[in-house]
Amino acid sequence: MSAPDRSQRVAVAPDVELAVFEWDGDGPPFVLLHGLASNARLWDGVAATLAAAGHRVLAVDQRGHGQASKPDDGYDMTTVTDDLQVLVGTLGLERPVVVGQSWGANVVVEFAARFPGVAAAVGCVDGGTIELAARFPDWDECATVLRPPPLTGTPIADVERMIRQGHDDWPESGIAGTLACFEVRADGTVAPWLTLDRHLQVLRGLWEHRPSDRFPRIEEPVLFIPASRSAPGEALDALSDVRVVPIDGDHDLHAQHPVRVADVLRTLVETEEAR
């Protein structure tokens, strides 16, 4: 049910291609971006639900992640939003709804601020308001505390067991999507597709990002779907058209509750059609 209808690689910069997984539909398009150290396939459940409702859906592996190219640099917010702008233009998408989760939600906020009028609406799943410098004024402390765990060399069976034990209420699409964050090597062990050095570059770009400074520039409708424990605050008052619809759950709400997340995201299209 969740598998995409096709996939392709789209060039967005010299020697850089993003991997795009597409579900067919004639309705307004959705472009879905994953979070840090994640990948497009965590959106499978959401994408299949949106496609069943008639939408064209494209889930994207951003640079350094999943099946995308893995350049040594270009992980700052300006470059990754340039990637998205080229992708939208190359694929001829007319006013897509752009949606991101966690770091990806900050990316779509930056995208809407830099490229007004390109998106019809913006969706942020447990992200879009992340300002790490408020918690970690010093970058070195941020890099130390948020350094990812060393999973390279762990047997894939152990990784799957950890995922299932930690997320026993997730559907299979979420489990499979999480496993797709890793390359499975010939000896049966894993390595994250996003290498440590690139992970830290993405983290640095997120640490430097100030979405609250971008909100006044965004005119499109913005929808926040936070996990209830991390609902956005007063900074959202700077947005001209904003709604907040919490869903109780994990940080990866899109993997845990794909149907509920998709149903809430569809309201962005209904809102746009009513304008």
Side-chain angles (χ1 to χ4, degrees):
M1 166 184 167
S2 299
D5 293 304
R6 69 186 58 81
S7 64
Q8 62 178 307
R9 292 170 65 85
V10 178
V12 295
D15 300 319
V16 179
E17 295 178 332
L18 305 187
V20 180
F21 302 87
E22 184 169 355
W23 288 254
D24 290 334
D26 296 325
F30 281 80
V31 176
L32 309 178
L33 300 185
H34 58 75
L36 171 58
S38 185
N39 79 99
R41 301 308 300 272
L42 265 81
W43 286 107
D44 276 12
V46 171
T49 303
L50 291 171
H55 295 281
R56 181 184 180 190
V57 187
L58 303 99
V60 181
D61 275 339
Q62 301 187 78
R63 63 168 62 204
H65 295 77
Q67 303 304 306
S69 299
K70 296 167 178 60
D72 292 333
D73 54 19
Y75 297 94
D76 57 282
M77 280 288 177
T78 296
T79 303
V80 296
T81 50
D82 283 345
D83 287 350
L84 180 55
Q85 167 70 349
V86 173
L87 179 78
V88 168
T90 299
L91 295 179
L93 302 176
E94 295 187 10
R95 292 183 57 76
V97 176
V98 294
V99 181
Q101 188 267 340
S102 191
W103 164 66
N106 277 52
V107 171
V108 298
V109 164
E110 181 70 12
F111 177 80
R114 292 189 63 217
F115 302 104
V118 175
V122 177
C124 299
V125 178
D126 213 35
T129 60
I130 300 170
E131 298 200 2
L132 290 178
R135 178 183 171 192
F136 302 105
D138 179 74
W139 158 244
D140 289 336
E141 179 188 6
C142 180
T144 298
V145 173
L146 299 184
R147 187 184 182 93
L151 293 176
T152 299
T154 305
I156 181 61
D158 292 348
V159 173
E160 181 173 355
R161 186 179 307 112
M162 288 187 291
I163 294 170
R164 291 188 180 278
Q165 290 175 347
H167 306 293
D168 59 4
D169 63 337
W170 282 25
E172 283 301 312
S173 61
I175 301 297
T178 304
L179 288 170
C181 293
F182 302 95
E183 174 190 8
V184 181
R185 303 186 297 192
D187 64 355
T189 65
V190 304
W193 286 115
L194 183 68
T195 60
L196 177 59
D197 59 331
R198 296 178 182 117
H199 185 117
L200 293 175
Q201 288 186 63
V202 177
L203 185 63
R204 179 66 183 254
L206 183 58
W207 179 78
E208 293 172 347
H209 194 225
R210 305 292 184 272
S212 59
D213 292 343
R214 308 298 191 264
F215 291 158
R217 308 180 193 176
I218 299 175
E219 298 181 358
E220 292 77 20
V222 182
L223 170 65
F224 289 89
I225 309 177
S228 59
R229 66 179 182 273
S230 57
E234 296 179 358
L236 302 192
D237 293 342
L239 288 161
S240 60
D241 187 345
V242 60
R243 288 185 301 126
V244 180
V245 182
I247 294 177
D248 187 22
D250 298 338
H251 180 51
D252 290 308
L253 286 172
H254 58 324
Q256 183 184 19
H257 299 301
V259 175
R260 290 171 63 188
V261 169
D263 286 345
V264 175
L265 289 174
R266 285 191 65 211
T267 65
L268 282 168
V269 176
E270 296 166 0
T271 300
E272 177 66 12
E273 291 174 344
R275 288 164 69 90

